[in-house]
Amino acid sequence: MEKWYGVSGLVLVLSLFFGVKGEPQVPCYFIFGDSLVDNGNNNELRSLARADYLPYGIDFGNGPTGRFSNGRTTVDVIAELLGFDDYIPPYSTASGRQILGGVNYASAAAGIREETGQQLGARISFSGQVKNYQQTVQQVVNLLGDEDSAANYLRQCIYSI
């Protein structure tokens, strides 16, 4: 038995190392939060809380994207580990069938309280992010045909808050 575990462990490690990938483990991933996971929702807002310029993204293949880091964020890594082929798009740019893979609603300077971050200008508060999610749910209902299909689909997703 020990040899079997050793071989399967080696196969797993090599698969991870060489990027062998299967289907995503879940159909979609929805993200709510602040600057720790914002991936571009603040780019078009009148706000001091923006990261769409250098040195942000200096180590990211696409350069500055609105992420408040030099590269990937934790939710980018989680999406990769879940098997997604691409990063979860920000709500500000997500459209059409793309939303079926998930959406990132996070906004820098956001908080649970409505007034959090107001000194920095525009931001999408937590309640605003929930309203945006409700709009996405309605789009999912339209794409899948009815509320039951949408509910069955959405209950399989992962949510980061």
Side-chain angles (χ1 to χ4, degrees), residues 82-103:
L82 288 171
F84 286 94
D85 289 332
D86 214 345
Y87 299 113
I88 304 303
Y91 178 76
S92 62
T93 64
S95 63
R97 296 193 68 81
Q98 181 183 39
I99 66 168
L100 293 176
V103 178

Side-chain angles (χ1 to χ4, degrees), residues 57-156:
I58 198 164
D59 296 327
F60 196 73
N62 301 330
T65 59
R67 288 167 172 81
F68 284 76
S69 68
N70 61 321
R72 297 178 301 163
T73 63
T74 55
V75 294
D76 292 330
V77 173
I78 291 169
E80 186 177 308
L81 292 172
L82 288 171
F84 286 94
D85 289 332
D86 214 345
Y87 299 113
I88 304 303
Y91 178 76
S92 62
T93 64
S95 63
R97 296 193 68 81
Q98 181 183 39
I99 66 168
L100 293 176
V103 178
N104 184 327
Y105 303 96
S107 175
I112 293 173
R113 297 176 54 100
E114 292 299 315
E115 64 272 12
T116 301
Q118 68 184 2
Q119 74 279 11
L120 297 173
R123 75 266 173 252
I124 307 164
S125 66
F126 184 68
S127 67
Q129 293 175 42
V130 171
K131 286 177 187 170
N132 289 341
Y133 173 72
Q134 290 171 328
Q135 290 180 353
T136 301
V137 168
Q138 189 55 54
Q139 289 175 292
V140 171
V141 169
N142 293 339
L143 287 168
L144 298 182
D146 60 72
E147 288 184 8
D148 288 338
S149 297
N152 288 331
Y153 185 79
L154 293 170
R155 79 169 47 102
Q156 299 174 58

Side-chain angles (χ1 to χ4, degrees), residues 1-82:
M1 259 319 187
E2 288 181 38
K3 285 185 179 184
W4 172 252
Y5 289 125
V7 170
S8 63
L10 178 63
V11 169
L12 175 64
V13 170
L14 289 174
S15 296
L16 292 173
F17 182 75
F18 289 108
V20 174
K21 251 168 106 164
E23 289 296 311
Q25 296 178 35
V26 293
C28 44
Y29 183 25
F30 293 97
I31 301 154
F32 301 82
D34 57 15
S35 60
L36 295 174
V37 293
D38 184 348
N39 66 345
N41 284 310
N42 279 25
N43 288 352
E44 302 302 320
L45 298 180
R46 292 180 50 94
S47 177
L48 295 175
R50 292 174 54 156
D52 55 348
Y53 55 89
L54 289 172
Y56 295 109
I58 198 164
D59 296 327
F60 196 73
N62 301 330
T65 59
R67 288 167 172 81
F68 284 76
S69 68
N70 61 321
R72 297 178 301 163
T73 63
T74 55
V75 294
D76 292 330
V77 173
I78 291 169
E80 186 177 308
L81 292 172
L82 288 171

